[in-house]
Amino acid sequence: MPEPANNTPLTAAMAADITLDVNGARHTLHLDVRTTLLDALRDHLGLTGTKKGCDLGQCGACTVLVDGRPVVSCLTLAATQQGRAVTTIEGLERDGKLHPVQEAFIEHDAFQCGYCTPGQIMAAVGLLNEGVPTTDAAIRERMSGNLCRCGAYVNIVEAVKAAAAMATPDQKG
Amino acid sequence: MHPFAYTAAQTPQDVTTRGSHPPHPDILAGGTDLLQLLKERVRTPAELIDINGLDLGGIDEKNGCLRVGALVRMSELAADPRVTRDWPVVSKALLDSASAQVRNMASIAGNLLQRTRCPYFRDATTPCNKRDPGTGCSALDGLNRTHAILGTSDRCIAAHPSDLAVALVALDARISILGPDGEDEVAVENLHRLPGDTPHMETVLQPGDLITAIHIPASECARRSHYVKVRDRASFEWALVSAAVGLDMDGGTISDARVAVGGVGTKPWRLRTVESLLIGKAPGPQVFKAAADRAADGAQPRGGNAYKVELLKHTVTRALMELGGCA
Ligand SMILES: Cc1cc2nc3c(=O)[nH]c(=O)nc-3n(C[C@H](O)[C@H](O)[C@H](O)COP(=O)(O)OP(=O)(O)OC[C@H]3O[C@@H](n4cnc5c(N)ncnc54)[C@H](O)[C@@H]3O)c2cc1C
Ligand code: SF4
Ligand code: FES
Ligand code: FES
């Protein structure tokens, strides 16, 4: 458990047993209730595919799916996620086969450094789950919460369009 | 984050009872604003009370009014086919807000109660009357490009950031409140206070008050309505200026009009003078421009935000032109 940032001692109500369902597996963790879903995934479950950029909801690097919908895990307290299904980038592949969005990102060279990529892919999977039209304008608007400092946007849009054409329902996240 | 205790409310009364007694826990809904404030140590509550397990969802249409549960998420309300058909300004204001991820998390009650984006308010190391009463206002002579020009005081010039609230004020929406002493209803327009000498007191809510629902009446102005948001980038950015407009037509004349604006007021700002200048006229560029010319009446710009006076008039004109089919 991370140390509190000041000297206030933690009382019993400041820590809790929290059960998370991540990529189909259940984990019970004893956590400081301040722990975000992002920190629980990375620091307590070792799922470091989900990235921390701004930690304030402004970059999308930490995007995961909760019950199939993209959310920013940095503004989500782990304690509020009990009974919900969390999907991270590690949970997208099926039987060793990459998700169509992952394939499309590779095919279309939709990244440079790769730091924003897990968040981009999770946001794109969420977008495709919704079944909204995937015009260039709609993709740009619906994925505006995911910043890419390398500026790979043009290829990201191409990848998402290609994935929309490829995706089959059983491959959705 | 300062350490806090966490409890999940089992009933609305848990919230009203605990909330009205020390240590006055902060209510946690989607957490998209509260988590930012906790991380920046702008809020340091001893306790959070999580309301997400309460039965405060659901969108129902009854007697010409849309009832929206406090915990309905922004994305859910924006996509509701009744809303896109009969309250388009609400859907547009929501879709122009934040990101897809944030809209999936954020509740509509939390949206109305989100705190200002004034950068000094969110930086706990600078003086700010809203965060720490009596310490002074860093924005008065500081960086104030994004700040308000209407409803300001010499203690605070922070703009209210919600897009949804602007649409709701235009449409005479009301909120239901459950408090320690029972239920109450208040117009969204009267929810927020002007800063005056007490900018830290932002709303009429009392400790222990829980917003349970929002009611949005149907009207011809709601059916023919529109939202225009002007910002520094095309998406995922708060408004510099925004306008929610609605028009009801009787033959060739405007029989009712609604105009409210965002990004410029210390609270969501209704422009009744502009509305009255539209009513009884035939819609057209001249009429729209003449009415919108009065949009900034009473404005008190500071150094950095003086551009908002003209931008406000243009934004109202553009919203009316687009709605009236002139653009
Ligand atoms: C990156 C980013 C970009 C954004 N861009 C925009 C934008 O462009 N336009 C816009 O309008 N907004 C924007 N927002 C703000 C966002 O819409 C709000 O943070 C959100 O709506 C708050 O809702 P919530 O449920 O997450 O509230 P919380 O963060 O959980 O709570 C906010 C406040 O409301 C109180 N509260 C919540 N529910 C109730 C209730 N039922 N009764 C009483 N009190 C309650 C809480 O105690 C807290 O004080 C943005 C947010 C982020 C993170
Ligand atoms: S404008 Fe208001 S919120 Fe911003 S620094 Fe001044 S008092 Fe604080
Ligand atoms: S790390 Fe969560 S949005 Fe940036
Ligand atoms: S690939 Fe480097 S930030 Fe997007």
Side-chain angles (χ1 to χ4, degrees):
Chain A
M1 193 190 306
E3 286 298 311
N6 64 14
N7 296 328
T8 312
L10 287 187
T11 65
M14 291 173 177
D17 285 329
I18 295 167
T19 302
L20 295 173
D21 171 349
V22 182
N23 302 328
R26 297 184 119 230
H27 307 269
T28 300
L29 302 167
H30 190 69
L31 296 176
D32 181 329
V33 294
R34 292 174 294 175
T35 311
T36 60
L37 178 59
L38 175 59
D39 289 344
L41 292 170
R42 289 182 57 86
D43 299 344
H44 298 272
L45 294 175
L47 294 170
T48 53
T50 307
K51 300 300 183 221
K52 183 183 283 191
C54 64
D55 212 22
L56 286 172
Q58 297 168 358
C59 77
C62 66
T63 303
V64 300
L65 303 183
V66 170
D67 296 337
R69 301 197 311 170
V71 302
V72 282
S73 57
C74 67
L75 295 184
T76 304
L77 288 180
T80 63
Q81 296 305 298
Q82 312 205 62
R84 299 182 177 273
V86 178
T87 309
T88 70
I89 189 77
E90 291 90 346
L92 283 185
E93 51 114 14
R94 291 279 176 277
D95 307 322
K97 231 175 130 312
L98 293 181
H99 187 281
V101 175
Q102 293 174 303
E103 293 280 11
F105 267 63
I106 296 168
E107 185 68 23
H108 290 267
D109 199 17
F111 46 83
Q112 287 180 36
C113 78
Y115 198 79
C116 72
T117 311
Q120 300 278 2
I121 290 176
M122 298 316 288
V125 171
L127 178 70
L128 300 188
N129 280 353
E130 270 186 65
V132 292
T134 41
T135 60
D136 287 23
I139 293 167
R140 288 208 178 89
E141 172 57 38
R142 296 304 283 265
M143 291 191 46
S144 65
N146 293 81
L147 305 192
C148 174
R149 299 322 301 240
C150 300
Y153 297 111
V154 173
N155 289 358
I156 291 171
V157 172
E158 289 309 313
V160 176
K161 271 198 299 189
M166 273 177 356
T168 57
D170 65 312
Q171 286 173 309
K172 287 180 180 174
Chain B
M1 285 187 248
H2 189 85
F4 50 76
Y6 167 90
T7 12
Q10 305 300 320
T11 64
Q13 286 69 30
D14 282 350
V15 183
T16 56
T17 309
R18 295 181 81 101
S20 52
H21 292 89
H24 300 296
D26 275 16
I27 290 174
L28 176 70
T32 60
D33 196 35
L34 190 53
L35 264 283
Q36 296 183 63
L37 298 170
L38 294 170
K39 289 182 185 199
E40 306 276 42
R41 296 189 168 229
V42 174
R43 294 289 312 159
T44 53
E47 185 180 336
L48 293 195
I49 187 156
D50 177 2
I51 62 170
N52 287 288
L54 299 182
D55 185 17
L56 294 175
I59 306 174
D60 309 291
E61 198 177 352
K62 221 164 60 191
N63 307 327
C65 195
L66 197 71
R67 183 196 175 280
V68 186
L71 280 176
V72 167
R73 307 297 152 165
M74 290 168 72
S75 53
E76 188 186 346
L77 186 61
D80 190 287
R82 292 164 293 191
V83 177
T84 53
R85 189 188 62 223
D86 292 337
W87 292 271
V89 68
V90 171
S91 181
K92 180 90 171 20
L94 286 166
L95 290 176
D96 282 356
S97 301
S99 62
Q101 289 92 324
V102 171
R103 294 193 296 269
N104 282 336
M105 303 166 70
S107 69
I108 53 145
N111 184 286
L112 300 182
L113 298 176
Q114 63 176 296
R115 311 293 301 273
T116 181
R117 303 308 304 182
C118 171
Y120 302 109
F121 172 77
R122 286 177 187 260
D123 174 357
T125 66
T126 57
C128 169
N129 287 327
K130 191 185 272 301
R131 173 172 28 78
D132 294 312
T135 55
C137 170
S138 299
L140 281 179
D141 299 309
L143 295 172
N144 49 29
R145 182 177 166 270
T146 56
H147 288 69
I149 54 173
L150 295 165
T152 58
S153 75
D154 59 2
R155 302 289 173 89
C156 179
I157 58 170
H160 194 271
S162 166
D163 290 292
L164 173 66
V166 178
L168 294 182
V169 161
L171 299 182
D172 289 326
R174 302 179 67 77
I175 57 173
S176 291
I177 301 164
L178 181 69
D181 303 320
E183 290 180 62
D184 202 359
E185 227 183 81
V186 56
V188 176
E189 192 178 5
N190 298 329
L191 172 63
H192 300 95
R193 299 171 189 254
L194 291 174
D197 290 339
T198 52
H200 61 289
M201 294 169 66
E202 290 185 354
T203 70
V204 298
L205 297 180
Q206 300 295 322
D209 279 354
L210 173 72
I211 297 181
T212 54
I214 296 181
H215 310 273
I216 321 175
S219 66
E220 285 309 314
C221 282
R223 253 181 290 280
R224 189 186 285 111
S225 62
H226 187 43
Y227 192 73
V228 167
K229 180 171 176 180
V230 178
R231 41 188 161 170
D232 279 334
R233 56 183 182 190
S235 182
F236 196 28
E237 188 56 88
W238 275 272
L240 295 172
V241 179
S242 69
V245 293
L247 291 175
D248 184 11
M249 300 298 301
D250 186 5
T253 51
I254 298 167
S255 55
D256 194 8
R258 305 293 177 83
V259 181
V261 288
V264 287
T266 50
K267 53 182 264 182
W269 206 262
R270 183 94 175 249
L271 290 174
R272 289 203 165 72
T273 306
V274 176
E275 293 174 359
S276 67
L277 288 168
L278 293 166
I279 294 168
K281 311 261 169 61
Q286 296 312 320
V287 166
F288 293 155
K289 274 198 196 108
D293 236 20
R294 302 288 303 279
D297 281 11
Q300 291 195 300
R302 312 282 309 185
N305 62 8
Y307 73 95
K308 285 193 178 184
V309 171
E310 280 308 302
L311 187 59
L312 170 56
K313 298 176 193 172
H314 286 286
T315 306
V316 171
T317 307
R318 184 176 134 202
L320 289 166
M321 300 267 274
E322 287 180 6
L323 179 63
C326 314

